[in-house]
Every structure is written in C-alpha cells, then in structure tokens.
Amino acid sequence: MISKKMKPFVENNSAIRMMFEEGKRLREQYGEENVFDFSLGNPSVPAPDSVRQAIIDLVTEEKPEVLHGYMSNAGFEDVRETIADSLNSRFGTDFRGENLIMTVGAASGLNVILKTILDPGDEVIVFAPYFLEYGAYVRNYDGVLVEISPDTETFQPNLLELEKKITEKTKAVIVNTPHNPTGVVYSEKTIKHLVSVLEKKQQEYGNVIYLISDEPYRELVYDGAEVPYLTKYYRNTIVGYSYSKSLSLPGERIGYLVIPDEADGSGELIAAAVIANRILGSVNAPSLMQKVIGRCVNAEVDLEIYDRNRKALYNGLKELGFECVKPQGAFYLFVKSPVKEEKKFCEIAKKYNILMVPGTSFACPGYVRLAYCVSYETIINSLPQFKCLAEEFGLKKN
Amino acid sequence: MISKKMKPFVENNSAIRMMFEEGKRLREQYGEENVFDFSLGNPSVPAPDSVRQAIIDLVTEEKPEVLHGYMSNAGFEDVRETIADSLNSRFGTDFRGENLIMTVGAASGLNVILKTILDPGDEVIVFAPYFLEYGAYVRNYDGVLVEISPDTETFQPNLLELEKKITEKTKAVIVNTPHNPTGVVYSEKTIKHLVSVLEKKQQEYGNVIYLISDEPYRELVYDGAEVPYLTKYYRNTIVGYSYSKSLSLPGERIGYLVIPDEADGSGELIAAAVIANRILGSVNAPSLMQKVIGRCVNAEVDLEIYDRNRKALYNGLKELGFECVKPQGAFYLFVKSPVKEEKKFCEIAKKYNILMVPGTSFACPGYVRLAYCVSYETIINSLPQFKCLAEEFGLKKN
C-alpha cells in the first residue's frame, strides 16, 4: 500500500526498532542503572532556566492570538532580527532579519533548502562518516548523494577526494562541524582548503555550488576550540541551525536557515525557501518557541556537564586501550572497533549491558559511536564494564 | 539558482505578496479600524485559558529534558492514547494510541500521508472549491491532482463527476468538512453516497482508494450541525487533524494523523508514515504542545464569538442582495460575485477598503471568500461599505 520510495525505509526500520527493543529489554531485566546506553543523541543537560521563565512570561504577557497565531511563513520578524543581530555581533557577519527563515529544527531546514535548490539528478556531496538521514533528505527531492570516504586519521574531510568527486551536477556540499558522530571540529585550515576547492570547481564548471553548513552542535565545544563561521569564508554558504542541542530543546523543533545576501541568487533562494517551508507542511516554525528564542538568544546550557562526561569517558577508554580521536565538540566519541566488523563488537558489548551505534550507521564501518549525553554516573559505572569488554578483545592498557 | 519545481511558486508568490502589501497600504492610509480585511484565515478567538494554564503547569511540574526532549517520532505515547480515548468516546471508534501520529499541524500531516502512499503519476482527487495548497502537497511527491468541478447550488461534492474521474491510478480522494472556503458541512447522505462510489471503484479496479479527511474545522460547527466521523463509514479513511482552529493554535503547528487498524495495509502505512514524519524533517510534533493537548483534549474555543460573526455577516450580506450558501461550519462565507470575473469584484471592493479572496484561489471563479474570524466591530462597520458595494453593482435588497 505504501510508495516504492518508502519501502526500503520500512524494511530497514525493523533493525532500528530491534535495537530500541533490545535496550528496553535490558533495562527491564537488569534495571535502568545497570544499562549503559550510549546509543541516543538526546541532550541530558536540561534547558536553561531562562527558557522556562521566558515561557511563563510569554503566556502571561502576550495576547494568545498573537503568541500562538500565524505569522509570516519565514517567522516573526522581531525574532529573526534578534537572531541576526546576535550572529552579527558574535561573528562579524552582516545579516538582516530577512536573511533568516525560522524552521522546524535543522532537519526541516535541510529539507527546505534541498527542496529549494535540487532538480532530479543533482548531486549533493557528504563526507563520511555522516548522519545517514542526509541521504533520505536528498532523495526526497530526487537528488543523488555522493559520499567522500573518511580520513580515519583525523576525521577532517578528505578534500583530495572531494576535488575528484565534484562534477558539473554537484549542487551542494554538506558539512557538519562540530561533527556527528566524531566530535571533531573542522579547523580554519581545513575550511580554507575546502573553500579553495569549491571556488576552483565553481569556476571550472561555471556553476554555483552551495556549501550547506549543518551546525546544531556549534555551541557545544570544549578546550576553547573555535568553530569558523562559514559564510565568512565562502559566500555561497547556507547555514542550517537548531536549538535542539544548544538549548536542549530537541523535541520542540526550533531552528533556522541563514541565506546571506552575498549568496548567488539570494533573493530568489529566500523567496523559494519560505515557500518550501510552507508547502512541505511546516508552514512556520512553532510560534511560542520562536518567541522563546527571541528572549533567550544568549542563553546557554551548562557545558561543564558534557565536558566532564567527555573527559571521563575519553580518558577512561583510552586508558583501557581503546583508540579514539579526541573530540572537541558535540557529545560523541567515535571509537575504533577492536575487530573489523564493528557490529560484532556492538553485539558483544551488549553482554556487558553497553549499547553503542555501529559506524555502518554513519557510512564508516570499523568504528562505533558513543553518545556521552548521559548521566556522569552512567559513565563512571560503565568503565568497569568497558574494562571487561577490553579484556575480552585483548586490548592492552595504556 | 532554484529548482524547476519551485520556479512557478516564486512567480505566483508575488501576487499574494501584492495583496498583502495592498492591505498594509490601506491600513496605513485609512487606519486599522477602517480597513475590512476578510482575507485571512487566522483565528480571532483566543486559545482557551486552560491552554495557558497547562503550559505554566507543564514547565513547572515536568523535567525539561523530558518536556522538551525527543520522544518516539510518532509522538508521546500518553498523549496519543489520551486523544484516541477522546475520539473513541466521542465517535464510537476503536482507536489505540498506535493509530495516531502527532504531526506539525494538518499541512504536515497531509504531506506525511501523501509521501507515504504516492508513487509518481498516482492521482489524488479533490473537489472544487478547494485549498490550492493540496496541489502543492500532491506534486511534492510527483502525484497528479485531479479536480472535480463544483456544485455551486449546494457546494456538496459532485459525486457523479467523481465516479467518472476515478481511474486505476486514483490513490486517494481528499475531503475537507467543515469546508474551506464555503463553510459547508458534508451531510451524512453525501458521505454515504461518496463511500458507495469509492467502494464500487475499489472493487472495479481491485485497488485501494484512500479517503483522506482533512478536518481542521471539525469543532467549528453551528446550528447543531453534525459532522460524520468518516472512519466509521469507510474503512480506508485516513484522518488529518489540527488544533490550529479548534484551540486557536495555528502558529504552534500541532495536529495528528489517524490511520485506523481497519485500513488496508494499516501496519505498513503507520510504520511508513512515522518514518515520513521523520525524514521530511519534522522528526516529531513540537513536544510541549503535544503535552498541552494531552491536558486540554476536551478544551474548546468560544464558538459563540464566531457564530455571532457568522450570523451578522451572512444576514447583513443577504439583506443587501448578495447570494451565498449558508455556512454551517468553519469561519468562511463563499459569496457569489455579482460579476462573472470575481477578481474585478475584489478590485472594486478595495475602493471600500474591503479585502476578500477571489474564488480562483480555490479553483472556483465567480465567487469570493470572506473569512469572518475578525472582530465583531469589523463586521458591523463593514456593512455600510458592503451596502455601497452592492449599490455599485446594482444589487437589489432582499
């Protein structure tokens, strides 16, 4: 009864559901506190209290017809201006409210911009490992996803391969920094190199290649790492942002797109993206949450909590002999599997009540992703279990 | 720079923007209170106070990680069960929480179900007049929209033409009752006739034809009109609902789909629709608003306000000699234009600071839509202006 395009999704879905059911089964059998579930990217740090206060103030002060009413499909003008001003003061950009479109989270923002720009057969390049849903988003508009293989030394993007894989059909390149699943932040050097490749290829083909920066983890950085703001390096950059992680509001579906004036075809892109936002069914981003963002644009979650988790898990695993690139952002570790088939590693980890996501789910087999957005106790209590796991695989303590 | 599919939207958009600009210009020139803007379907009755209270209680009582966190892509289980129970007690249905998928309003719900079922070239039938966005939603998935011409006597659906236009490619029929733009409620007799046509054609072609019931106006009915619950008449019914109008929360984007167990392929449909909700970018319906619905499932806006507007505008216009089918639901009047080209009528109405939407925008030329979700004062003060308009067109008082 369902469309041909949806069939493979439903077939694959049972694997994800099985993993979910497995977690549930383990929790029921061993108790919540004895299961070490590192599989979910659901923020564990609560939203800042200013969010709660803003919600109460808004429903107390504002007229419900306005607060919960329709506005421009692009979002409330005052909220978009507030965000533009905030970005300008942080990054030295020159955005106006008109450059922003409020979206139902970053996932919807990516769909909106891909619907806006893709004709059937257009290619969109991604760097493995990557969030597999990018493939679904691109195929929603009959685009073709082109993968660049991972540089497993640094997990910075493989730019030599990028240069080879850009064709006259390349419409966009997606980057995600800080990065899911590795936690890596793309350095300024990397960005400059990436931009030089894009500039060269734009000229070579006489085409526009948009750089789509998917950056829900922008605010989640540690060790003072800097995350370059990409519109400043490459004018055909489009930013997709979400407050899911920065304010711990993933269920609320609130984010935005930035389409700068300097992007080729900016006016037409903005007009089309606002319409795409409407006709894909979002219509507009949730209104109360837009207004909350307007009041909490400078709020932050407590990063110390993630940082403590990061250090405890990274150091603990390194000590046990696991290999892993040190993450500077997001809330993930991407750990090398001691055996080539990382699914086997994940399977055996379950014996110790440890749940991880195989790298295959990010187009990067041989690795596993651990999301450390869990309680500190979970991390500390998991380490003896990881010790057993390390021993089972014959790892040597560092 | 934008995709070929988006180009016509951007071109048409300037007409809508011009209308919006025109309204703004009039308000600036003549003052807010002297402009009679009947063009917008934005609820004027505030959300019930229980919504405000539920929001305050939720942010006070619930953990933010849960309240604003990810849940199943289908929505919070407790909320879906609460809604299912409520529907069951109101309509004698037999839904479980699993039959419901919380969506980003009805527009997103329609996109989700169309993505779930449509292969390229599949036909979806709509009855003129209809909300033109249905066409955009269907074309998002390369479906073909098939229009049934209006029955301008009653604005009940033209079922003789339906029978002729169903082909082996017909995948779905969309109905919208109470109806935008006419305010008509489809009678039980109509529904039974419609169902008999669908049953017959399903058998003739050996295909499943889904009846998609888009019913954001279900709760907005007057004169004790009954709105039949369609799953009880036809098992292949899928319901798309929204709280935009029933609780005056259009900006919040909260609604649901119902896929009953008795629908053909129900299990597969539900699984695919949940995935479509995810990969189209909604991921899930906004979490706080889901919980609000869970607590306000029996709340209602004050319908008396709309009803008073309805009577004042309908009676006022009839008295002046305008022709119009009496609306039993929603918040629209669909008035016959005194001249064939209703755009000319709309143009001349602007001289009297009256803004209306031409029927062409609903695939039904010769009529205009008036949204009476405005203040009562606007209606009363508009009547002398309508009188001048009627006189200009030589209408005779009733």
Side-chain angles (χ1 to χ4, degrees), chain B residues 43 54 90-91 114 173 204 221 251 266-267 280 291 306 348 355 380:
Chain B
R90 288 177 64 196
F91 304 115
L114 291 171
V173 174
E204 185 178 328
V221 285
S266 174
L280 279 175
K291 289 282 188 187
Y306 289 136
I348 288 172
L355 300 175
I380 297 306

Side-chain angles (χ1 to χ4, degrees), chain B residues 256-287:
Chain B
Y256 59 78
L257 285 172
V258 184
I259 302 175
D261 285 339
E262 57 269 30
D264 280 309
S266 174
E268 198 184 32
L269 279 180
I270 293 171
V274 172
I275 297 167
N277 200 32
R278 196 186 81 218
I279 64 177
L280 279 175
S282 294
V283 180
N284 55 252
S287 53

Side-chain angles (χ1 to χ4, degrees), chain A residues 139-375:
Chain A
R139 283 186 288 272
N140 280 340
Y141 313 102
D142 300 311
V144 176
L145 196 81
V146 175
E147 271 181 33
I148 306 290
S149 57
D151 168 354
T152 54
E153 285 302 306
T154 62
F155 286 110
Q156 296 279 325
N158 184 338
L159 299 174
L160 291 176
E161 192 175 323
L162 172 68
E163 193 162 347
K164 287 181 200 145
K165 285 198 171 166
I166 292 178
T167 74
E168 57 182 2
K169 290 195 160 182
T170 304
K171 193 77 193 229
V173 174
I174 301 178
V175 291
N176 168 230
T177 166
H179 188 249
N180 174 15
T182 65
V184 159
V185 174
Y186 289 3
S187 67
E188 188 177 39
K189 193 179 148 201
T190 297
I191 297 301
K192 285 184 171 169
H193 186 178
L194 168 68
V195 167
S196 73
V197 173
L198 295 179
E199 299 280 16
K200 186 176 143 192
K201 288 293 175 178
Q202 281 198 140
Q203 206 155 17
E204 185 178 330
Y205 292 115
N207 284 346
V208 172
I209 303 171
Y210 291 109
L211 178 62
I212 300 175
S213 179
D214 175 32
E215 43 187 65
Y217 300 102
R218 166 164 288 282
E219 268 55 78
L220 272 56
V221 284
Y222 317 104
D223 302 334
E226 294 280 342
V227 185
Y229 203 82
L230 300 192
T231 64
K232 302 201 60 181
Y233 295 83
Y234 184 65
R235 66 194 183 101
N236 285 323
T237 299
I238 292 159
V239 176
Y241 188 83
S242 162
Y243 293 93
S244 293
K245 279 80 183 185
S246 60
L247 292 181
S248 289
L249 300 171
E252 301 297 355
R253 316 307 304 137
I254 183 76
Y256 60 78
L257 283 173
V258 184
I259 302 175
D261 285 337
E262 57 268 31
D264 280 310
S266 174
E268 197 184 33
L269 279 180
I270 292 171
V274 172
I275 298 167
N277 200 31
R278 195 186 81 217
I279 65 178
L280 280 175
S282 293
V283 181
N284 55 251
S287 53
L288 170 62
M289 282 299 147
Q290 286 191 44
K291 290 282 188 187
V292 168
I293 299 304
R295 294 191 178 203
C296 298
V297 75
N298 295 316
E300 290 173 352
V301 294
D302 185 353
L303 286 185
E304 288 300 316
I305 301 174
Y306 289 135
D307 196 19
R308 187 167 77 145
N309 285 357
R310 177 181 73 114
K311 286 173 180 154
L313 190 60
Y314 177 78
N315 293 335
L317 293 182
K318 286 291 277 189
E319 210 169 282
L320 292 169
F322 288 101
E323 282 180 52
C324 175
V325 66
K326 190 171 187 181
Q328 288 193 293
F331 40 47
Y332 306 110
L333 291 187
F334 206 53
V335 177
K336 189 168 182 182
S337 166
V339 286
K340 206 179 158 204
E341 286 219 6
E342 90 280 3
K343 283 184 180 173
K344 200 178 147 197
F345 178 51
C346 290
E347 209 44 56
I348 287 171
K350 278 185 202 157
K351 280 203 317 197
Y352 302 99
N353 291 350
I354 295 170
L355 299 176
M356 312 180 290
V357 182
T360 307
S361 297
F362 302 92
C364 188
Y367 290 79
V368 297
R369 188 190 79 171
L370 278 75
Y372 57 79
C373 44
V374 296
S375 73

Side-chain angles (χ1 to χ4, degrees), chain A residues 68, chain B residues 47 51 243-245 247-254 289 293:
Chain A
H68 306 303
Chain B
V51 165
Y243 293 93
S244 293
K245 279 80 184 186
L247 292 181
S248 289
L249 301 171
E252 302 297 357
R253 316 307 305 138
I254 182 78
M289 281 299 147
I293 299 303

Side-chain angles (χ1 to χ4, degrees), chain B residues 42-343:
Chain B
N42 201 1
S44 54
V45 175
D49 196 61
S50 56
V51 165
R52 190 183 62 80
Q53 196 54 55
I55 292 172
I56 293 174
D57 291 348
L58 282 162
V59 298
T60 310
E61 295 163 14
E62 302 257 339
K63 279 189 181 176
E65 309 91 281
V66 177
L67 185 60
H68 307 302
Y70 285 128
M71 79 301 302
S72 153
N73 298 136
F76 287 114
E77 285 172 24
D78 60 334
V79 174
R80 289 150 65 207
E81 276 162 23
T82 300
I83 298 170
D85 291 347
S86 163
L87 293 173
N88 295 342
S89 76
R90 288 177 64 196
F91 304 115
T93 48
D94 198 23
F95 304 135
R96 296 164 298 118
E98 286 82 351
N99 298 112
L100 276 88
I101 299 164
M102 303 304 296
T103 60
V104 172
S108 187
L110 290 174
N111 268 278
V112 164
I113 194 63
L114 291 171
K115 180 165 179 69
T116 298
I117 62 173
L118 290 186
D119 281 313
D122 281 351
E123 293 171 357
V124 177
I125 294 177
V126 293
F127 298 97
Y130 67 93
F131 184 49
L132 278 198
E133 300 274 293
Y134 291 156
Y137 304 163
V138 167
R139 283 185 288 272
N140 280 341
Y141 313 102
D142 299 311
V144 175
L145 195 80
V146 176
E147 272 182 33
I148 307 290
S149 58
D151 169 354
T152 53
E153 284 303 305
T154 62
F155 287 110
Q156 296 279 324
N158 184 337
L159 299 173
L160 292 176
E161 193 175 324
L162 172 69
E163 192 161 348
K164 287 181 200 146
K165 284 200 170 163
I166 292 178
T167 74
E168 59 182 0
K169 289 194 161 183
T170 304
K171 193 76 194 230
V173 174
I174 301 179
V175 291
N176 169 229
T177 166
H179 187 248
N180 174 14
T182 65
V184 158
V185 174
Y186 289 3
S187 67
E188 187 177 40
K189 193 179 148 201
T190 298
I191 297 302
K192 284 183 170 168
H193 186 178
L194 169 67
V195 166
S196 74
V197 173
L198 295 178
E199 299 280 16
K200 186 178 144 190
K201 290 291 175 178
Q202 281 199 140
Q203 206 154 16
E204 185 178 328
Y205 293 115
N207 283 345
V208 172
I209 303 171
Y210 292 109
L211 178 62
I212 299 175
S213 179
D214 175 32
E215 44 187 66
Y217 300 100
R218 166 165 288 281
E219 268 55 78
L220 272 55
V221 285
Y222 317 104
D223 303 333
E226 294 279 343
V227 185
Y229 203 83
L230 300 191
T231 65
K232 301 200 64 182
Y233 295 82
Y234 184 64
R235 67 196 182 99
N236 285 324
T237 299
I238 292 160
V239 176
Y241 188 83
S242 163
Y243 293 93
S244 293
K245 279 80 184 186
S246 60
L247 292 181
S248 289
L249 301 171
E252 302 297 357
R253 316 307 305 138
I254 182 78
Y256 59 78
L257 285 172
V258 184
I259 302 175
D261 285 339
E262 57 269 30
D264 280 309
S266 174
E268 198 184 32
L269 279 180
I270 293 171
V274 172
I275 297 167
N277 200 32
R278 196 186 81 218
I279 64 177
L280 279 175
S282 294
V283 180
N284 55 252
S287 53
L288 170 62
M289 281 299 147
Q290 286 191 43
K291 289 282 188 187
V292 168
I293 299 303
R295 293 190 179 201
C296 298
V297 76
N298 294 318
E300 290 172 352
V301 294
D302 185 353
L303 286 185
E304 288 300 317
I305 300 174
Y306 289 136
D307 197 16
R308 189 167 73 144
N309 286 357
R310 177 181 73 114
K311 286 173 181 154
L313 191 60
Y314 176 79
N315 293 334
L317 293 182
K318 286 291 276 189
E319 211 169 282
L320 293 169
F322 288 100
E323 282 179 52
C324 174
V325 67
K326 189 169 188 183
Q328 287 193 294
F331 40 46
Y332 305 110
L333 290 187
F334 206 53
V335 178
K336 190 168 181 182
S337 167
V339 287
K340 206 178 159 204
E341 284 219 8
E342 90 282 3
K343 283 184 181 174

Side-chain angles (χ1 to χ4, degrees), chain A residues 4-243:
Chain A
K4 289 185 189 76
K5 266 192 174 179
M6 290 305 296
K7 282 212 180 285
F9 286 105
V10 173
E11 284 152 18
N12 288 334
N13 207 40
S14 54
I16 297 169
R17 186 168 296 169
M18 263 173 60
M19 192 161 165
F20 180 79
E21 294 296 330
E22 181 78 5
K24 203 170 146 185
R25 192 185 61 75
L26 289 175
R27 274 186 288 272
E28 277 163 11
Q29 191 172 348
Y30 298 101
E32 187 86 39
E33 70 284 6
N34 297 315
V35 178
F36 310 104
D37 188 348
F38 295 101
S39 70
L40 297 173
N42 202 1
S44 54
V45 175
D49 196 60
S50 55
V51 165
R52 190 183 61 80
Q53 196 54 55
I55 292 172
I56 293 174
D57 291 347
L58 282 162
V59 298
T60 309
E61 295 163 14
E62 302 257 340
K63 278 189 181 176
E65 309 91 281
V66 177
L67 185 61
H68 306 303
Y70 285 127
M71 79 298 304
S72 152
N73 297 137
F76 288 114
E77 284 172 25
D78 60 333
V79 173
R80 289 148 67 207
E81 275 162 24
T82 301
I83 298 169
D85 290 347
S86 164
L87 293 173
N88 294 342
S89 75
R90 288 176 65 197
F91 304 115
T93 48
D94 197 23
F95 304 135
R96 295 166 298 119
E98 286 82 351
N99 298 113
L100 276 88
I101 299 165
M102 303 304 297
T103 61
V104 172
S108 186
L110 290 175
N111 269 278
V112 164
I113 195 62
L114 291 170
K115 179 165 180 67
T116 298
I117 62 174
L118 290 186
D119 282 313
D122 281 350
E123 294 172 357
V124 177
I125 294 179
V126 293
F127 298 96
Y130 67 93
F131 183 50
L132 277 198
E133 299 275 292
Y134 291 155
Y137 304 163
V138 167
R139 283 186 288 272
N140 280 340
Y141 313 102
D142 300 311
V144 176
L145 196 81
V146 175
E147 271 181 33
I148 306 290
S149 57
D151 168 354
T152 54
E153 285 302 306
T154 62
F155 286 110
Q156 296 279 325
N158 184 338
L159 299 174
L160 291 176
E161 192 175 323
L162 172 68
E163 193 162 347
K164 287 181 200 145
K165 285 198 171 166
I166 292 178
T167 74
E168 57 182 2
K169 290 195 160 182
T170 304
K171 193 77 193 229
V173 174
I174 301 178
V175 291
N176 168 230
T177 166
H179 188 249
N180 174 15
T182 65
V184 159
V185 174
Y186 289 3
S187 67
E188 188 177 39
K189 193 179 148 201
T190 297
I191 297 301
K192 285 184 171 169
H193 186 178
L194 168 68
V195 167
S196 73
V197 173
L198 295 179
E199 299 280 16
K200 186 176 143 192
K201 288 293 175 178
Q202 281 198 140
Q203 206 155 17
E204 185 178 330
Y205 292 115
N207 284 346
V208 172
I209 303 171
Y210 291 109
L211 178 62
I212 300 175
S213 179
D214 175 32
E215 43 187 65
Y217 300 102
R218 166 164 288 282
E219 268 55 78
L220 272 56
V221 284
Y222 317 104
D223 302 334
E226 294 280 342
V227 185
Y229 203 82
L230 300 192
T231 64
K232 302 201 60 181
Y233 295 83
Y234 184 65
R235 66 194 183 101
N236 285 323
T237 299
I238 292 159
V239 176
Y241 188 83
S242 162
Y243 293 93

